[in-house]
Amino acid sequence: MTRIMQAVTGLTAIHAVAASPTFEQDGLCFAAGSDGLRVSTDGGSTWRDAYATFGLREPLTTTALALSPAFAQDRAQRANSDRTIFAGAVGGVLRSHDDGKTWRIAGLPTPPPFVTALAVSPHYLEDGLVFAGTMEDGVLRSWDRGDSWAAWNFGLLDLNVYALALSPDFAHDDTLYVGVESGVFRSSNGGRAWRETAFPMECAPVLSLAISSNFAANGVIFAGTEASGLWISADRGVTWRTVSGWETSGPINALFLAPTCAQQPSILAVTNVALCLSHDGGASWQVQRSAELTGVTCAAAPAGVQPGAQVLLGTGDGRVLVCSL
Amino acid sequence: MSNNLRLPPVFQPATYCAFMAGADRIIATIRPTLGPVARTVAIQRPLDHRGPEVLDNGGVIAKRIIQLPDYRADIGAMFVRDMLWRLQEQEGDGTATAAVLFQMTFNEGVRLVTAGLNARRLQRFLEEGIEVILDELRRQTVFPGAAPVSDAHHLSQVAFTVCQDRELSDLLGEIFSIVGGYGRLEIREGSSRGLEREYVEGIYWERGLLSRQMVADPQRLRSELEDAAIVLSDLHIQEPQQILPVLVTAFQSGLKRLLIVADEIADSALSLLFANNKPDHMQILAVKTPGFGREQQADFLVDAAVLCGGRPFLRVAGDTFRSIRSEDFGRARRVWADLRSFGLVGGMGNPRQVRRHLAALRAAHAETDDLTLRSKLHERIGRLMSGSATLRVGGVTVREIEARKALAERTAAAVRGAMQEGVVPGGGAALLACRPALQRRIDATNDPEARAAYQILLRAVAEPLRTIVANAGYDPSDALAEVRMAGTGYGFDVLTGRVTEMCTAGIADPVNVVKAATYAGLTSAALALTIDVMVHRTEQPSHATPPPPARRKRL
């Protein structure tokens, strides 16, 4: 792993980062934090206020980001592609259709929820489904591309959501998972009802989730915890075990899997002090630590986990690092 | 002889004949109701001049048969009726299956006992054989969809095998896929012609505001608070001074929205609340503690304290509000109350404690044999699952609504059972698949009573399938032969007239119902075989009252 660049965004703390899937070509990326949302179009070298045209009197704390899965897959088709980005704030979800130039806000049900995670359906262009995980208010769901939101928390016994992950085969299996204060919950009907999984409560909270791209066949899902390491389920979340090769301490703030159907996929786990990469499904890890990595709170892997792919890291002191795997 | 024993006792050989005549009479009325192509039974109403009641449920039919004219036969009929009534109370279904199992076992048993076998030894071996059948049923059990979560499609198929009403089964499938096996479902009469469902987020209890003056929205007759603090108690507040510490502590802690739960608040104390209930100062709602009696109120307080955090103030512990501190307040994201009920959304108790509490309640529910306690625990679990559904059953006539509501309740109970304990191949196929295990027992013994008992059970387990097929107008012997040829898991689908793999075709029965019906029908028949004398009382206790509270045997 090599560091490419470190930049100061002007934010006090970064809660979420996101980047275009074609980041290496177009350099488009976002950083959300307590002072608002910043956008960069030069690979993170310079940043500007994404809410500048919004006319806000006070900085709007932004806590989660998600891009449409169809976001600029091909630079040549950029004019026709979906350019939607969602940003979660306290009490609302903002949406932009033009790389963050202009925004519309949709209010969430009161009392104002604190959005901690956003997830967009893999088939967003057809079904228009977007999910928002919140602190204290569970999961909110939008059927209409983020225009309106409603809570669907039947069976979700823990409403403190830290992570959301949708099955790659969501159009067929309607399955999604949430990582919460006390474990992992699963919905197999598109978020309309939730059921507990056997994730051990004493090892929670679960801060990050990643689902195998071959989930329909292998049912593999990883869960990163605050203090109990990395966990894996190979049966769609019914049973869980620790990943045997994981030896790094600290909270796992982000998890990414290689978009391949390999039996033992490459995994990237981001803790608050280290980048951990495994190419054998978690059996062995390459761990990179450095002073620059201290205080990493969030990450984005726009091109997935593969050799040479770039990864964005956001830190608690407002820096964004761009690294190459 | 006392006055109530004026009729002569019945001795053998008349006992068996009389008992069999009575049992056969009541079972003959229930037999046509077994299966998806069942027929109905019309029973005249004794107390009014309305038309006859048209029934398709064995348990309800049995309840309606009060007495047979022949006092000797009546004892047999009432024996069967009591067994079916208990089964209906316990599982809500399976009575027709139990009835035909009883009839086959008892009639065969009588034939063998009169031929010289020992009734007591026969009973013992029958009971051993019942355990063999129950083991085989357990072995065949599968969960609809992926256990423990079940999808709407599989659940609606389970519902359809019970109710044969596509609209109702689809709705129940959807509802249970959302609220879950323990979820709260209320089935009410609706005002429209069809079925309607409604989902309510959060939890609510059937206790409303203590005063109409607390209604903030006069159009909806409802008040709502956001980020509310909650005081949980079952105290009787007689004086304003008793509740003053709550207001002072809330004010000092910066809590501006307050829900007070108390068993009673006198008018003078309410006046203090009204005086402080100003939108810019403090919003206060007061509701009565839910539950009838101390036990139910204590259950509410325990559940609510886990859900919202905070400390419940208990009369029985001598608690007062004088010692209240800011950490004694529970919290919820949203609270609402109207004149009939109140509810909360997003209780802010410790989620780990909530899950542990729920797990403990579920374990208690699974452990207990007491049906009343099971029902209470089920209700508490359903509430804590943070959501409920209401199914409104409409129709053109009152009779249609009543019948469809009863059907919906019966089907809902069966679907719950399927979600909690699983399903077996339906249409009598699961019982038929127990035959090889029984045959192995026959082959392994030379004891005449043991062989006879297993032979009886071998015939009995085929009887539900034979009856279902016959009720649909097919030849039972032909169907039975085809099913035997096809193998385990296969049965006869009477809707298509073909042998099919039942679970794949979506024809499945809740295993708890099948096991309970098997156990009730067969053990009752085995017991009835030991009856030698029947004594009839002329002054009978009322048969309109249900049997004493039942206990659910864990099978």
Side-chain angles (χ1 to χ4, degrees):
Chain A
M1 287 169 277
T2 53
R3 179 175 71 79
I4 294 175
M5 192 207 65
Q6 178 176 245
V8 176
T9 57
L11 296 169
T12 313
I14 295 177
H15 299 315
V17 287
S20 158
T22 50
F23 172 71
E24 289 177 31
Q25 289 90 50
D26 60 23
L28 179 64
C29 55
F30 299 87
S34 44
D35 311 316
L37 181 67
R38 300 286 186 268
V39 59
S40 170
T41 52
D42 55 7
S45 300
T46 59
W47 296 85
R48 61 180 169 77
D49 184 6
Y51 294 152
T53 57
F54 210 44
L56 295 169
R57 288 182 191 166
E58 291 176 8
L60 179 64
T61 301
T62 306
T63 49
L65 290 169
L67 270 61
S68 160
F71 195 97
Q73 295 295 340
D74 182 350
R75 195 172 173 79
Q77 296 174 359
R78 184 173 167 155
N80 298 321
S81 68
D82 180 38
R83 310 294 298 172
T84 305
I85 177 165
F86 293 93
V90 178
V93 173
L94 297 101
R95 186 180 48 172
S96 167
H97 294 299
D98 52 9
D99 295 352
K101 293 185 185 73
T102 59
W103 293 87
R104 282 172 60 188
I105 190 162
L108 300 177
T110 57
F114 184 97
V115 177
T116 52
L118 285 167
V120 184
S121 162
H123 303 273
Y124 169 74
L125 291 182
E126 292 84 43
D127 59 27
L129 273 174
V130 192
F131 297 89
T134 69
M135 282 302 288
E136 299 179 345
D137 291 285
V139 177
L140 305 169
R141 193 167 98 140
S142 169
W143 290 261
D144 51 10
R145 299 167 198 276
D147 277 340
S148 58
W149 294 82
W152 274 96
N153 293 321
F154 277 79
L156 189 59
L157 304 173
D158 184 344
L159 302 177
N160 302 304
V161 177
Y162 295 106
L164 265 171
L166 270 66
S167 158
D169 198 27
F170 184 79
H172 296 109
D173 63 16
D174 269 353
T175 298
L176 67 155
Y177 294 82
V178 288
V180 294
E181 176 72 34
S182 63
V184 176
F185 280 72
R186 177 179 71 169
S187 168
S188 54
N189 56 3
R192 298 183 75 193
W194 298 90
R195 303 286 181 263
E196 292 170 276
T197 69
F199 191 92
M201 258 194 282
E202 61 277 12
C203 298
V206 173
L207 304 182
S208 52
L209 292 167
I211 297 184
S212 162
S213 56
N214 197 24
F215 181 70
N218 62 17
V220 169
I221 176 168
F222 287 86
T225 65
E226 187 176 57
S228 302
L230 184 62
W231 290 69
I232 182 174
S233 168
D235 51 11
R236 306 174 78 85
V238 176
T239 59
W240 294 85
R241 62 180 167 80
T242 51
V243 172
S244 54
W246 179 265
E247 289 170 353
T248 311
S249 60
I252 301 172
N253 291 324
L255 269 176
F256 304 97
L257 297 185
T260 63
C261 293
Q263 197 68 29
Q264 295 185 321
S266 296
I267 310 166
L268 174 65
V270 181
T271 74
N272 61 340
V273 291
L275 282 185
C276 311
L277 185 64
S278 169
H279 292 296
D280 51 11
S284 62
W285 293 85
Q286 303 164 29
V287 180
Q288 183 180 345
R289 296 172 199 271
S290 70
E292 291 165 338
L293 291 174
T294 305
V296 170
T297 55
C298 52
V305 184
Q306 52 187 317
Q310 292 188 351
V311 178
L312 277 79
L313 307 170
T315 66
D317 55 6
R319 291 173 294 131
V320 167
L321 290 87
V322 181
C323 301
S324 176
L325 295 179
Chain B
M1 188 179 287
S2 70
N3 282 341
N4 60 358
L5 294 177
R6 277 175 299 186
L7 295 169
V10 184
F11 296 97
Q12 294 287 23
T15 303
Y16 278 156
C17 290
F19 192 96
M20 195 187 286
D24 283 351
R25 188 82 63 85
I26 197 167
I27 291 168
T29 60
I30 292 165
R31 183 178 278 271
T33 66
L34 183 58
V37 194
R39 284 158 287 170
T40 54
V41 175
I43 297 185
Q44 193 167 11
R45 296 169 201 259
L47 300 176
D48 60 32
H49 299 290
R50 289 191 290 166
E53 209 176 356
V54 179
L55 301 169
D56 64 353
N57 177 265
V60 182
I61 294 164
K63 286 180 195 175
R64 297 288 190 271
I65 297 171
I66 305 293
Q67 193 173 23
L68 296 190
D70 179 353
Y71 80 92
R72 288 164 299 191
D74 189 54
I75 290 184
M78 292 306 114
F79 184 92
V80 173
R81 174 180 185 262
D82 186 70
M83 179 262 290
L84 298 178
W85 192 324
R86 282 177 194 274
L87 181 61
Q88 176 78 8
E89 297 285 308
Q90 182 185 312
E91 303 295 340
D93 199 16
T95 46
T97 302
V100 297
L101 286 171
F102 177 94
Q103 189 175 37
M104 174 56 76
T105 309
F106 181 71
N107 291 359
E108 282 293 298
V110 166
R111 190 172 63 79
L112 293 167
V113 171
T114 48
L117 292 184
N118 182 297
R120 275 285 177 199
R121 280 176 56 79
L122 196 62
Q123 182 198 21
R124 200 187 99 206
F125 288 116
L126 280 172
E127 285 176 351
E128 282 183 18
I130 292 164
E131 288 304 320
V132 173
I133 295 171
L134 293 176
D135 283 343
E136 283 298 299
L137 290 173
R138 279 184 210 110
R139 200 180 50 75
Q140 296 176 61
T141 302
V142 292
F143 281 88
V149 180
S150 307
D151 63 69
H153 172 67
H154 283 98
L155 293 174
S156 73
Q157 283 188 324
V158 173
F160 187 72
T161 57
V162 178
C163 68
Q164 302 300 314
D165 179 333
R166 182 51 70 192
E167 188 191 6
L168 178 62
S169 57
D170 283 352
L171 264 186
L172 286 174
E174 180 201 291
I175 287 170
F176 278 107
S177 75
I178 290 174
V179 302
Y182 287 98
R184 189 176 178 190
L185 168 64
E186 287 190 26
I187 299 175
R188 296 180 183 167
E189 291 180 7
S191 52
S192 73
R193 289 193 171 190
L195 298 168
E196 292 170 331
R197 85 293 208 186
E198 182 189 357
Y199 297 102
V200 180
E201 196 198 352
I203 300 159
Y204 67 91
W205 289 269
E206 310 285 348
R207 282 287 186 272
L209 289 166
L210 285 172
S211 168
R212 190 174 274 268
Q213 285 189 54
M214 289 174 175
V215 172
D217 181 348
Q219 286 188 325
R220 294 166 65 205
L221 290 174
R222 181 179 162 112
S223 293
E224 288 186 9
L225 303 177
E226 289 180 357
D227 278 327
I230 302 167
V231 182
L232 297 165
S233 81
D234 63 351
L235 304 186
H236 288 174
I237 309 297
Q238 304 295 343
E239 304 291 335
Q241 287 80 3
Q242 289 176 269
I243 206 160
L244 190 60
V246 173
L247 302 183
V248 171
T249 310
F251 187 76
Q252 288 171 346
S253 309
L255 304 172
K256 296 205 163 187
R257 289 169 288 273
L258 193 59
L259 172 75
I260 299 171
V261 183
D263 198 34
E264 188 184 315
I265 302 182
D267 287 348
S268 57
L270 275 175
S271 302
L272 179 69
L273 300 183
F274 297 146
N276 284 280
N277 191 6
K278 293 168 185 162
D280 52 345
H281 171 66
M282 188 180 270
Q283 286 174 271
I284 305 170
L285 301 178
V287 295
K288 186 173 165 57
T289 313
F292 297 101
R294 281 195 180 174
E295 196 183 333
Q296 282 189 20
Q297 289 190 339
D299 287 345
F300 157 77
L301 290 169
V302 169
D303 292 347
V306 169
L307 201 68
C308 303
R311 162 198 166 197
F313 290 81
L314 303 170
R315 204 168 56 212
V316 70
D319 290 341
T320 66
F321 288 139
R322 265 182 296 180
S323 59
I324 193 167
R325 295 171 302 169
S326 62
E327 55 266 36
D328 294 335
F329 291 90
R331 308 286 170 93
R333 291 289 279 165
R334 217 161 59 234
V335 161
W336 60 266
D338 58 27
L339 295 170
R340 291 198 307 185
S341 49
F342 78 97
L344 56 92
V345 180
M348 291 164 72
N350 182 335
R352 287 182 172 86
Q353 276 186 18
V354 174
R355 291 179 64 184
R356 285 193 196 105
H357 183 60
L358 259 171
L361 290 178
R362 280 200 202 107
H365 180 265
E367 278 294 308
T368 185
D369 299 336
D370 185 324
L371 284 181
T372 314
L373 183 58
R374 269 178 76 85
S375 161
K376 279 183 189 164
L377 286 168
H378 192 276
E379 194 178 322
R380 289 174 69 189
I381 296 167
R383 271 189 220 281
L384 290 170
M385 295 299 286
S386 58
S388 60
T390 304
L391 176 65
R392 291 199 169 78
V393 181
V396 179
T397 63
V398 174
R399 201 170 305 160
E400 183 193 339
I401 294 170
E402 281 173 1
R404 209 172 185 199
K405 182 166 169 274
L407 181 65
E409 283 166 353
R410 192 152 46 93
T411 310
V415 176
R416 270 189 208 286
M419 291 184 81
Q420 288 168 9
E421 298 187 34
V423 295
V424 288
L431 281 169
L432 192 72
C434 300
R435 286 172 62 104
L438 292 167
Q439 186 62 54
R440 284 195 293 276
R441 289 296 183 110
I442 294 171
D443 296 342
T445 182
N446 290 320
D447 187 295
E449 270 95 2
R451 289 179 68 87
Y454 293 129
Q455 286 284 2
I456 292 170
L457 294 175
L458 207 60
R459 292 193 65 181
V461 292
E463 195 57 17
L465 187 141
R466 293 179 73 94
T467 309
I468 290 168
V469 171
N471 284 346
Y474 295 98
D475 182 348
S477 301
D478 290 351
L480 208 58
E482 282 183 55
V483 171
R484 278 186 200 153
M485 293 281 284
T488 307
Y490 281 81
F492 192 81
D493 180 358
V494 293
L495 296 177
T496 60
R498 289 186 189 147
V499 172
T500 182
E501 194 174 1
M502 302 303 264
C503 280
T504 309
I507 303 167
D509 288 331
V511 70
N512 59 316
V513 173
V514 179
K515 283 196 295 189
T518 304
Y519 184 82
L522 296 180
T523 53
S524 299
L527 177 65
L529 285 172
T530 64
I531 296 172
D532 226 35
V533 183
M534 296 193 295
V535 180
H536 191 83
R537 290 177 184 273
T538 50
E539 290 173 13
Q540 293 193 2
S542 168
H543 286 296
T545 55
R551 297 191 79 79
R552 181 181 197 263
K553 185 175 169 61
R554 260 172 283 155
L555 299 172

